[in-house]
Structure formats: C-alpha cells, structure tokens
C-alpha cells in the first residue's frame, strides 16, 4: 500500500503595490514585480490619493516615488505608512535630505532609480521579512547620522516636543501638525520655538536632520 504524497504548503507571496507618476517607469517596475514568482502585484497608481482608494491589505510593501502630484516627499511616505504599509522609496532624487527625511517618515528602504530590477526585488524581500534596505551608495547618509546620534550627550526634549519634531521631519506643515496633535497652530509654533532654543537649529531641513540624529522618527498609530 503506497502512502499518499502530501504537498508542501505554498509559501505566501509578497503583496507589493506601486505609486509612481512616470508612466514608463511605473510600467517597468510593475513588470519586474509581476514576473517574480514570490510577488503578487497589488495596486499600481500614479498618486497617493489614487492608491488609497484601492484599499490594499495592510502590511503590503509599497514601492513609492517621492516627487508625485499632490502629496509628495516625506509627507507621501508618512501617509502610506499611516495606511499600514511598508514603504520602499525608489526615487531619482537621492540626496541626503531626501533619504533622511523619508526614513524619518517611516520608510523601510531607499533606492535611487539607478537600481536594477534585481536590486528592487532584493529590497522588497528584505523589507517584507521585517528588515530594512538602503542602497549601498546611499547607506553612508544613514550610517553617518547614526554615528552622530550615538556620539555626545543626548538632547532632552519633552514628549510633546519630540512629537512635533517627528512630524516636522516627516514633512508636515504647522497646520498639519496642529491637526494631528489636536492643538492650535500657535501651540505648535511655541513648541518649535522651544526646540530651536534648545538646539540652535532654525530651519526645517536642520530640524529634520536633528530628528534623524536623535532617533526621533514618526510612528503611525496602531490598527
């Protein structure tokens, strides 16, 4: 009597969405993902707003461009992370400010558009597994910020000041911060004045860098 063969359970595929406003690049990325055996291609959209209406399942990986119509840059990362997704930024803009701002807003990975399909898939798989992935050519930005954060005395900020700083680093405007924290714009500006007095950092890009140095990153609310 022969034993019945049992089939090993199929490994669950990685659900991946794409938000990219350049039609040719959007199609190319979608094709790379669709052809990978371990990937299930989700919503493909040209803006955060159009992606949002597709209601992708939480915990999907989303390949996101930064320079989009409507919500863009770190604010776009912040919004997609707030939907419960893991963000991989793939952008032609890969300067220090963009990389650190995106990571502060909650991105799990960052690639420049020089990355080939294999590297995009490698980053997607790492992020889906709960890790981070930054292109080796950009990793020095993150490494240098980590070193600066770990060197010297820690800055003492109140919990509310840290919340304000995290939202500034995520690209939010004063009114957006006020709405998110249920406080007035005047109170937001008061917190910002205190942060500037304590740190000597005056401009928003300097405050974003401070957030990275101090390990203050936006954390979305739980489900």
């Amino acid at each position: 009597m022969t034993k019945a063969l049992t089939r090993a359970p199929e490994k669950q595929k990685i659900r991946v969405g794409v938000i990219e406003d350049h039609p040719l690049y959007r199609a190319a990325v979608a094709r790379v993902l669709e052809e990978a055996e371990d990937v299930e291609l989700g919503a493909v959209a040209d803006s955060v707003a159009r992606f949002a209406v597709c209601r992708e399942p939480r915990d999907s990986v989303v390949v996101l461009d930064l320079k989009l119509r409507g919500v863009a840059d770190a604010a776009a990362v912040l919004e997609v992370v707030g939907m419960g997704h893991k963000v991989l930024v793939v952008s032609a803009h890969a300067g220090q400010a963009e990389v650190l701002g995106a990571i502060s807003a909650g991105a799990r990975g960052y690639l420049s558009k020089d990355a080939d399909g294999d590297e995009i898939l490698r980053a997607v798989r790492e992020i889906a597994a709960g890790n981070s992935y930054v292109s080796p050519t950009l990793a020095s930005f993150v490494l240098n910020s980590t070193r600066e954060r770990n060197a010297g005395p820690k800055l003492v900020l109140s919990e509310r000041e840290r919340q304000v700083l995290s939202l500034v680093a995520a690209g939010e405007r004063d009114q957006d911060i006020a709405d998110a924290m249920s406080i007035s714009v005047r109170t937001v500006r008061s917190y910002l004045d205190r942060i500037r007095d304590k740190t000597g950092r005056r401009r928003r890009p300097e405050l974003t860098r401070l957030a990275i140095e101090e390990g203050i990153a936006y954390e979305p609310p739980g489900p």
Side-chain angles (χ1 to χ4, degrees):
M1 184 174 178
T2 57
K3 292 183 178 179
L5 295 176
T6 56
R7 180 180 296 177
E10 291 186 9
K11 188 175 181 181
Q12 187 174 4
K13 290 188 176 184
I14 304 166
R15 180 86 173 185
V16 185
V18 179
I19 307 176
E20 164 64 58
D21 66 352
H22 191 287
L24 290 178
Y25 193 80
R26 182 171 67 245
V29 171
R31 186 169 62 250
V32 166
L33 296 169
E34 200 166 26
E35 291 176 353
E37 292 184 357
D38 59 341
V39 171
E40 178 186 6
L41 182 63
V44 178
D46 62 359
S47 69
V48 172
R50 290 187 176 179
F51 179 83
V53 300
C54 297
R55 298 189 179 278
E56 281 292 290
R58 291 177 67 88
D59 216 32
S60 298
V61 177
V62 177
V63 177
L64 173 73
D65 188 19
L66 284 184
K67 303 302 178 182
L68 301 164
R69 293 188 294 273
V71 180
D73 299 307
V77 177
L78 181 69
E79 189 158 330
V80 177
V81 169
M83 297 175 198
H85 303 309
K86 300 173 181 176
V87 171
L88 167 62
V89 172
V90 181
S91 176
H93 300 267
Q96 182 168 318
E98 287 88 1
V99 175
L100 296 183
I103 291 173
S104 176
R108 299 286 188 92
Y110 203 114
L111 298 175
S112 74
K113 284 190 175 177
D114 293 334
D116 59 19
D118 287 342
E119 188 170 19
I120 291 173
L121 288 172
R122 187 159 57 248
V124 163
R125 289 167 183 143
E126 285 291 327
I127 290 168
N131 302 317
S132 299
Y133 189 97
V134 178
S135 168
T137 59
L138 307 177
S140 62
F141 296 151
V142 180
L143 181 61
N144 289 340
S145 290
T146 301
R147 286 172 176 163
E148 290 172 13
R149 184 171 71 238
N150 292 335
K154 283 288 183 183
L155 179 67
V156 178
L157 295 175
S158 71
E159 182 179 349
R160 297 293 266 177
E161 288 166 351
R162 291 172 70 87
Q163 288 177 322
V164 168
L165 184 58
S166 74
L167 289 164
V168 168
E172 296 295 281
R173 300 168 303 171
D174 291 356
Q175 183 63 61
D176 299 324
I177 296 170
D179 293 343
M181 296 180 63
S182 300
I183 57 179
S184 68
V185 172
R186 188 172 186 176
T187 302
V188 170
R189 289 171 181 162
S190 177
Y191 281 127
L192 285 171
D193 286 342
R194 290 183 215 167
I195 294 168
R196 288 171 174 135
D197 289 343
K198 288 182 178 181
T199 66
R201 312 285 180 99
R202 312 306 301 180
R203 299 172 61 245
R204 266 176 143 76
E206 294 172 343
L207 293 173
T208 295
R209 182 169 179 78
L210 173 66
I212 296 292
E213 291 170 0
E214 295 295 319
I216 300 172
Y218 172 76
E219 295 184 4

